[in-house]
Amino acid sequence: MMADSKESQASKGTQAERLVQLRRDKGMTAEQLAQAMTAAGAKVSRGAISNWERGTNGIVSSKLPTLARILGCSEGYLLRGELQSGANVNSNVNSDADSTQRINTHNKNAASSKQVSNAQPMPNQAAPNSQNNPMGGHSMNTIRKSDKLQNVCYDIRGPLLQTANKMEAEGKRILKLNIGNPAPFGLEAPHEILRDVAMNLPEATGYSDSQGIFAARKAVLQYYQSKGLLSAVDVRDVYLGNGVSELIVMTMQALMNDGDEVLVPMPDYPLWTAAANLAGGTAVHYRCNEDDNWHPDIEDIKSKITSKTKGIVVINPNNPTGALYSDELLLQIIEVAKEHDLIIMADEIYDRILYDDMEHTPMSTLTDDVLVLSYNGLSKSHRIAGFRAGWMMVSGKKHHAADFIEGLDMLASMRLCSNVQGQYAIQTAMGGYQSMKDLTSKKGRLYKQREMAVSRLNAIKGISCTMPQGAFYCFPKMDPKVYPIEDDMAFMMDLLVEENVLMVQGTGFNWDKPDHFRLVFLPNLHDLEDAMDRLERFFAKKRKQFGTE
């Protein structure tokens, strides 16, 4: 009877609210619910669960029976708040055949429309008011995004940014600490690069080789050779892409079969998780330990390797934490990959954005016993994100990967080539004077902004932040005893609306608890100081609201 009462109390809410309440009643996090559903044969990501719970997406009907079974409720209750008299929650799971049949009937002629929405009519269901129907009263199928996108989540450009854009359209000034795009913050590209790209524009009007122009690929190769590249590599092992982002998606499409797994750090840059899920695989997250300067937990990595694991992603320097990994740690990861014959995917795009005289070691310089894919580009280090100039290099143990590499070649050819104008920036950028060193030195702008951001964050009650050694991000923690938050995206939305400061919640980086957020410290000291004042005021207001002052 208690279960019935609980259903009665929540039934008036939305589908999203019912889902949240049921999950909490089970004592599960979104990550744990996603894992339970995947283990039960209905693969779903934590991001998809979060989208359902926010009402961004409706619950996918093919996942509905498993979700209802795990949560101990009926499908009808989850979808519409329907209650069944004389039956408890568990019995409703088995007795809701009519509801399931109705779903199947609605969907039988719409194979591509499997998402069940809160507010919109089911596919093939007539609109309530035919006078508003542009087809003269005939019913229209709702066109929905593909099921492949149900497990894809990219909150960096999600609902928070959309809300911020609407606020800007209304005339409000938003302090954007949400995205690592140097240009809007007055961090200019080196003039030498702009000049050389301009000089080569007449040569950049046609397609290039599908892998990129020779001079740029040669410059990439020589860069790694200067760092101590171990294996024999030539320009055919270098692929230029429209930023690293395109190359990440290409890799996953070439590598993953349905059901395959790839190990991805938690927290991560969410494109890695999204690309794996979009390719039909599963991103399995290994933990990075905040108490150990956000270094990967080697034992956790080992515990998550299965027969389906194809590779391991290493983001170093890390986004979103700013952590830099030691050679000793990298060698431990290499040993794990060697033992299990895994591909290493080394995302090293922040390798030249380092503080405190730290040095970065490319993983391709530490082994030739495993297949290593090295990803890098000029978006961050040379402040030309809009040029989309990135690359991937294949090195190490390649003889057993000929078929996979053939797949990369095929995908590179299918997109014809990357932006040729941007390719002409690479040769100039890879050699000579590196202006980023001035920005990250003790007298440099980025160094000062990092120091100020971290010190101000740590001065706020209940906030703690490790010092990033690379990139331009930090990943502060909110003490759950001081800020008992259950929905970190809603919390960040409050910050945006109340203080006009835009940041991304920690779960947007596939962190498994609502107790972190990422802060970008690219704004100049004056604007950053303003943002910190607003953060301080906001958190003080929340402590008062939570009674934890």
Side-chain angles (χ1 to χ4, degrees):
M1 294 300 294
M2 290 181 63
D4 282 338
S5 175
K6 193 178 294 180
E7 278 202 14
S8 298
Q9 292 172 3
S11 63
K12 296 179 182 179
T14 65
Q15 181 185 113
E17 290 169 345
R18 288 191 294 275
L19 175 56
V20 171
Q21 187 60 53
L22 287 165
R23 175 179 59 75
R24 289 174 181 167
D25 290 345
K26 285 289 184 180
M28 303 174 77
T29 65
E31 177 78 13
Q32 289 168 337
L33 178 56
Q35 291 172 352
M37 289 188 65
T38 299
K43 187 183 78 170
V44 70
S45 69
R46 181 213 59 80
I49 298 290
S50 295
N51 284 337
W52 297 346
E53 292 188 348
R54 294 169 190 154
T56 306
N57 295 335
I59 299 169
V60 180
S61 62
S62 62
K63 315 290 184 183
L64 184 61
T66 304
L67 180 62
R69 185 170 66 253
I70 290 172
L71 294 177
C73 69
S74 71
E75 296 173 26
Y77 173 71
L78 257 179
L79 291 180
R80 297 172 293 277
E82 293 176 355
L83 303 180
Q84 293 191 10
S85 58
N88 62 29
V89 176
N90 290 327
S91 65
N92 285 347
V93 175
N94 298 318
S95 64
D96 199 33
D98 290 341
S99 173
T100 305
Q101 182 61 42
R102 283 194 297 272
I103 296 169
N104 291 336
T105 300
H106 283 307
N107 286 329
K108 67 179 180 180
N109 295 320
S112 63
S113 302
K114 296 180 182 177
Q115 180 186 5
V116 183
S117 171
N118 275 331
Q120 299 182 13
M122 298 291 291
N124 296 327
Q125 188 173 7
N129 187 353
S130 61
Q131 291 179 347
N132 296 326
N133 193 322
M135 298 299 290
H138 295 291
S139 62
M140 295 176 63
N141 289 344
T142 301
I143 301 175
R144 304 184 184 277
K145 61 178 173 283
S146 76
D147 288 348
K148 295 190 295 292
L149 289 173
Q150 295 301 329
N151 286 335
V152 175
C153 186
Y154 191 78
D155 281 347
I156 293 177
R157 290 182 180 266
L160 285 164
L161 179 60
Q162 294 165 13
T163 301
N165 290 339
K166 290 178 183 177
M167 292 172 68
E168 282 186 322
E170 295 167 357
K172 296 178 181 176
R173 177 175 178 262
I174 306 299
L175 290 175
K176 293 182 177 178
L177 312 181
N178 66 311
I179 194 165
N181 184 14
F185 301 103
L187 290 160
E188 298 179 351
H191 178 73
E192 185 181 8
I193 289 180
L194 300 180
R195 183 191 63 201
D196 285 6
V197 169
M199 287 179 63
N200 282 287
L201 282 178
E203 306 300 321
T205 56
Y207 297 130
S208 72
D209 180 282
S210 62
Q211 289 183 227
I213 60 177
F214 179 87
R217 286 189 285 156
K218 188 69 172 179
V220 169
L221 173 58
Q222 290 174 338
Y223 175 73
Y224 287 101
Q225 288 173 335
S226 72
K227 295 279 189 177
L229 179 64
L230 291 182
S231 58
V233 174
D234 63 30
V235 292
R236 290 174 296 180
D237 296 310
V238 177
Y239 299 77
L240 304 187
N242 291 303
V244 168
S245 300
E246 180 186 46
L247 296 164
I248 290 172
V249 174
M250 276 176 52
T251 300
M252 293 302 175
Q253 293 292 336
L255 180 65
M256 307 289 280
N257 289 317
D258 289 352
D260 284 345
E261 297 174 353
V262 63
L263 298 178
V264 177
M266 181 177 68
D268 73 340
Y269 175 56
L271 180 62
W272 281 105
T273 295
N277 291 337
L278 186 60
T282 300
V284 177
H285 296 98
Y286 64 85
R287 184 168 293 277
C288 296
N289 290 326
E290 188 169 14
D291 295 338
D292 186 26
N293 290 319
W294 287 111
H295 285 174
D297 185 328
I298 298 297
E299 294 306 314
D300 192 50
I301 291 174
K302 292 177 180 178
S303 72
K304 289 176 176 173
I305 295 173
T306 71
S307 60
K308 297 179 180 179
T309 308
K310 301 294 287 288
I312 177 169
V313 175
V314 180
I315 305 175
N316 177 42
N318 185 264
N319 175 10
T321 66
L324 180 68
Y325 303 156
S326 67
D327 288 8
E328 179 185 3
L329 177 62
L330 295 177
L331 287 168
Q332 290 181 57
I333 294 174
I334 287 169
E335 283 303 308
V336 173
K338 183 178 177 181
E339 179 183 351
H340 296 278
D341 198 22
L342 304 180
I343 298 175
I344 290 177
M345 288 159 269
D347 183 344
E348 300 170 336
I349 197 165
Y350 298 98
D351 70 332
R352 279 162 287 189
I353 307 176
L354 304 172
Y355 307 92
D356 308 319
D357 298 320
M358 301 300 292
E359 293 186 8
H360 174 268
T361 302
M363 295 194 79
S364 62
T365 67
L366 294 176
T367 182
D368 57 6
D369 292 330
V370 300
L371 184 66
V372 178
L373 308 179
S374 301
Y375 302 82
N376 212 322
L378 306 181
S379 293
K380 317 296 184 178
S381 60
H382 291 78
R383 287 86 70 200
I384 54 172
F387 282 35
R388 311 312 297 132
W391 62 83
M392 173 180 68
M393 184 184 72
V394 181
S395 66
K397 186 179 175 183
K398 293 182 289 184
H399 65 272
H400 70 315
D403 195 56
F404 164 63
I405 293 171
E406 182 181 327
L408 290 175
D409 292 341
M410 183 184 301
L411 290 170
S413 297
M414 286 169 63
R415 52 96 206 236
L416 298 178
C417 67
S418 66
N419 172 35
V420 181
Q421 292 87 349
Q423 293 182 38
Y424 277 101
I426 294 175
Q427 184 176 15
T428 301
M430 298 308 286
Y433 176 69
Q434 299 292 309
S435 57
M436 180 54 70
K437 290 183 179 179
D438 293 337
L439 292 168
T440 57
S441 70
K442 287 189 176 181
K443 295 182 179 179
R445 172 181 162 177
L446 286 178
Y447 182 93
K448 293 176 181 177
Q449 289 164 196
R450 177 192 70 149
E451 296 294 302
M452 194 265 279
V454 173
S455 62
R456 287 291 303 270
L457 285 166
N458 282 323
I460 299 174
K461 181 179 178 181
I463 303 293
S464 58
C465 184
T466 61
M467 181 66 75
Q469 295 177 311
F472 25 69
Y473 314 109
C474 49
F475 200 60
K477 180 178 181 179
M478 300 175 285
D479 186 342
K481 295 179 180 177
V482 181
Y483 307 101
I485 300 160
E486 294 185 347
D487 186 337
D488 55 351
M489 182 179 174
F491 193 74
M492 289 294 106
M493 191 68 79
D494 288 348
L495 172 65
L496 173 61
V497 172
E498 295 176 24
E499 296 292 347
N500 294 355
V501 176
L502 174 62
M503 293 190 297
V504 180
Q505 74 281 5
T507 56
F509 300 92
N510 291 296
W511 186 245
D512 61 349
K513 294 183 180 65
D515 60 357
H516 282 76
F517 58 92
R518 187 185 75 167
L519 182 144
V520 178
F521 53 83
L522 282 172
N524 62 52
L525 285 171
H526 178 268
D527 287 342
L528 199 56
E529 194 85 53
D530 183 14
M532 290 301 162
D533 290 343
R534 299 186 193 194
L535 280 180
E536 198 170 77
R537 184 167 61 234
F538 176 76
F539 280 110
K541 191 189 308 178
K542 287 299 181 180
R543 290 195 301 274
K544 194 175 221 180
Q545 178 182 324
F546 292 134
T548 56
E549 189 62 57

